[in-house]
Amino acid sequence: MINSLRGMNDLLEKDEYKRFTYFIDIANSVAQRYGFHYIETPLLEETALFKRSVGESSDIVGKEMYQFIDKGENDVCLRPEGTAGVVRAFIQKKLDRAGGIHRFFYHGPMFRYERPQKGRLREFHQFGVESFGVESVYEDVIMIMMVADILKELGIGYRLQLNSLGDSNCMPQYRENLVSFIESVEDEICEDCKRRKETNPIRVLDCKNEKCQALYQNAPKLINALCDSCQSDFNKLKSILEKNNIAYEIDTNLVRGLDYYSKTAFEFVSDDIGSQSAIAGGGRYDRLVEFLDGRPTPAVGFAMGIERLMELIVMPEESREGYYFGAMDEEAVEIIIAMTQKKRKTQKATCEYRARNLKAHLKNADKANARYCCIIGSNELEHNTIWIKDLINKSEETISIKEF
Ligand code: HAM
């Protein structure tokens, strides 16, 4: 027997696909209400795209890419995240040259060769949003509000964690100070952190090793070393969130797992799903368009992990809806198929192709969660009528097919 690959799941069980489509419907509709447009980019891209954007020092690129050489000798990989592809499309379509504001949303599968566990898959689905052309911190607020709105509609509680990663003004000096600090404790830190010190020192701050974490308690904090413009933007962000009753926590170790961020970085976490608690993450990435050979364009975005959210969604109660048609006589089968087809043009309608007894049809109608069970037997056939039972208020009637 052939099974699905480790960390890759089918979306098959009734409850699962309902949660999935319920999430997508809500997230799509919120994004559209915010004036964002749908974008779809390929699952497969040149490996160089992710190396240059997500960053060679990140775990995603360093350890987790589904990378291979295709039949045309191209070095390609399955996308580990959605931002890089959207930025590539934005530049390829010359929208960076067109100027103006461009706002997109997307959803689809992402691939990371991680160690699978609860909430951590090798193929998972994200809903994401990317906004290009707005330098103002107001757009960062919009991103956070959009995540908060989606979570509210889904009935999901969260904690919002915030940090600022500075910009090209204040980051280089901070990095130097941090490297000096790391060198002062270098004998005690883990091998990964030693590597991070060389490639992207701020990534040491979110090392999961407890000993490293204890040492970094005394590390200099970027939040205390922001330049005036980053500090003023960060203050503005906090103040607008407060005015809009969006609670947040400052997490000075929040550096995100991807290298492209500057200024605002944020994560939404849930305390109800175990150790893989990040349900959404994002931030500003003002330099990425330029890194990928586009015209410098400010940008900000986020992505939500759909599988993690599916664990938390509070589904609305389902009410009975639509029609179930059944025949008790072989001769009536074609009639009920035609009637189902007609009803379907405007409402939910299903039918059974085999002639069966009333009990079996009522059971089927119940299973299909239909409101009306509509049956034609030999008696109805003779009089051109149809028997209908309302499965909510339990009333029954027989009416002419014409009237129906
Ligand atoms: P990320 O933080 O790597 O950001 O992923 C966003 C979300 O995807 C996470 O918060 C988590 O819910 C979910 N996720 C990540 N890895 C897995 C996994 N292995 N299994 C299940 N769920 C997972 C990004 O991907 C950025 N592109 C977000 C962004 C958009 N930043 C700016 N624009």
Side-chain angles (χ1 to χ4, degrees):
M1 189 176 74
I2 300 173
N3 289 318
S4 67
L5 297 174
R6 221 178 137 222
M8 301 201 177
N9 291 339
D10 303 304
L11 188 70
L12 178 69
E13 311 280 335
K14 193 171 165 200
D15 186 57
E16 278 180 354
Y17 76 70
K18 278 194 182 152
R19 280 166 188 272
F20 188 89
T21 51
Y22 181 67
F23 168 80
I24 296 286
D25 286 350
I26 287 186
N28 281 354
S29 111
V30 171
Q32 280 165 15
R33 291 201 308 255
Y34 274 75
F36 285 64
H37 299 290
Y38 186 69
I39 184 172
E40 180 95 37
T41 63
L43 266 56
L44 205 58
E45 297 268 7
E46 265 186 53
T47 301
L49 174 65
F50 301 108
K51 286 196 171 166
R52 276 167 65 186
S53 55
V54 178
E56 301 218 37
S57 74
S58 67
D59 283 352
I60 296 177
V61 169
K63 304 180 189 165
E64 298 168 1
M65 296 237 278
Y66 276 88
Q67 182 183 354
F68 60 95
I69 304 296
D70 74 6
K71 290 190 170 66
E73 300 291 310
N74 306 297
D75 186 349
V76 295
C77 90
L78 285 171
R79 62 182 185 193
E81 57 99 52
T83 309
V86 175
V87 174
R88 188 226 8 92
F90 174 78
I91 299 168
Q92 193 172 332
K93 291 284 172 337
K94 301 193 171 39
L95 298 177
D96 55 330
R97 287 162 192 277
I101 300 169
H102 303 271
R103 297 183 169 114
F104 304 103
F105 69 95
Y106 54 87
H107 49 80
M110 308 291 159
F111 302 84
R112 296 183 190 175
Y113 196 85
E114 299 200 71
R115 197 168 43 79
Q117 64 176 82
K118 185 169 178 291
R120 197 206 270 151
L121 297 161
R122 288 183 174 168
E123 184 191 32
F124 60 98
H125 295 75
Q126 283 185 347
F127 174 86
V129 155
E130 315 293 348
S131 164
F132 298 93
V134 188
E135 209 175 341
S136 153
V137 73
Y138 289 121
E139 194 72 354
D140 308 26
V141 177
I142 289 293
M143 294 294 138
I144 291 174
M145 284 182 169
M146 202 189 302
V147 181
D149 278 356
I150 294 172
L151 294 177
K152 191 169 171 210
E153 285 202 29
L154 296 168
I156 297 177
Y158 60 83
R159 280 186 297 117
L160 165 62
Q161 301 178 327
L162 280 188
N163 195 14
S164 173
L165 300 176
D167 63 6
S168 48
N169 260 328
C170 47
M171 186 40 137
Q173 181 61 53
Y174 171 74
R175 190 182 292 120
E176 259 181 49
N177 296 344
L178 182 65
V179 169
S180 306
F181 171 83
I182 301 171
E183 280 166 352
S184 74
V185 292
E186 194 154 1
D187 293 344
E188 298 169 74
I189 61 180
C190 71
E191 288 307 310
D192 273 345
C193 280
K194 285 182 185 154
R195 187 176 47 81
R196 290 178 186 128
K197 189 198 113 193
E198 305 303 329
T199 53
N200 188 0
I202 66 159
R203 290 292 322 279
V204 305
L205 296 176
D206 77 344
C207 177
K208 301 289 174 276
N209 182 309
E210 277 177 24
K211 191 169 166 217
C212 291
Q213 269 310 326
L215 289 168
Y216 302 145
Q217 294 288 331
N218 302 319
K221 308 250 181 286
L222 179 54
I223 207 103
N224 300 327
L226 295 175
C227 61
D228 289 348
S229 118
C230 286
Q231 186 65 59
S232 135
D233 274 352
F234 197 51
N235 291 345
K236 212 189 244 175
L237 173 71
K238 291 186 291 183
S239 139
I240 304 173
L241 291 176
E242 282 157 26
K243 282 185 199 140
N244 286 280
N245 295 321
I246 299 182
Y248 62 83
E249 304 159 6
I250 304 294
D251 179 353
T252 53
N253 288 344
L254 176 68
V255 296
R256 310 271 301 122
L258 310 91
D259 288 355
Y260 47 62
Y261 294 105
S262 55
K263 293 193 166 179
T264 309
F266 60 86
E267 259 177 25
F268 284 74
V269 298
S270 162
D271 295 325
D272 303 319
I273 44 168
S275 66
Q276 300 304 310
S277 60
I279 47 178
R284 191 158 267 285
Y285 52 94
D286 289 342
R287 286 166 304 165
L288 184 54
V289 177
E290 199 179 347
F291 278 170
L292 293 175
D293 303 323
R295 280 215 181 134
T297 308
V300 57
F302 70 81
M304 314 179 81
I306 302 181
E307 281 81 359
R308 292 184 191 172
L309 293 166
M310 279 164 61
E311 299 252 321
L312 298 164
I313 291 174
V314 181
M315 290 291 283
E317 223 172 277
E318 270 184 64
S319 56
R320 290 191 173 280
E321 185 200 350
Y323 295 78
Y324 168 91
F325 289 88
M328 287 166 64
D329 193 302
E330 204 55 55
E331 271 180 62
V333 170
E334 287 192 15
I335 301 174
I336 61 117
I337 290 177
M339 291 180 86
T340 311
Q341 196 54 23
K342 222 169 184 176
K343 259 298 174 234
R344 243 181 217 145
K345 301 225 182 315
T346 53
Q347 294 176 69
K348 185 179 160 197
T350 58
C351 71
E352 160 72 64
Y353 300 139
R354 287 170 302 165
R356 312 195 66 186
N357 65 29
L358 185 60
K359 200 172 156 206
H361 281 312
L362 281 166
K363 209 167 148 193
N364 279 353
D366 182 49
K367 222 165 129 194
N369 212 22
R371 166 140 195 201
Y372 300 102
C373 179
C374 313
I375 306 295
I376 300 183
S378 51
N379 205 10
E380 286 79 15
L381 207 53
E382 200 177 306
H383 297 99
N384 268 329
T385 55
I386 183 162
W387 177 85
I388 305 162
K389 179 164 184 176
D390 182 332
L391 297 178
I392 292 181
N393 62 28
K394 312 288 179 209
S395 63
E396 297 171 21
E397 60 176 342
T398 301
I399 58 172
S400 75
I401 289 183
K402 215 167 162 197
E403 191 186 338
F404 181 81

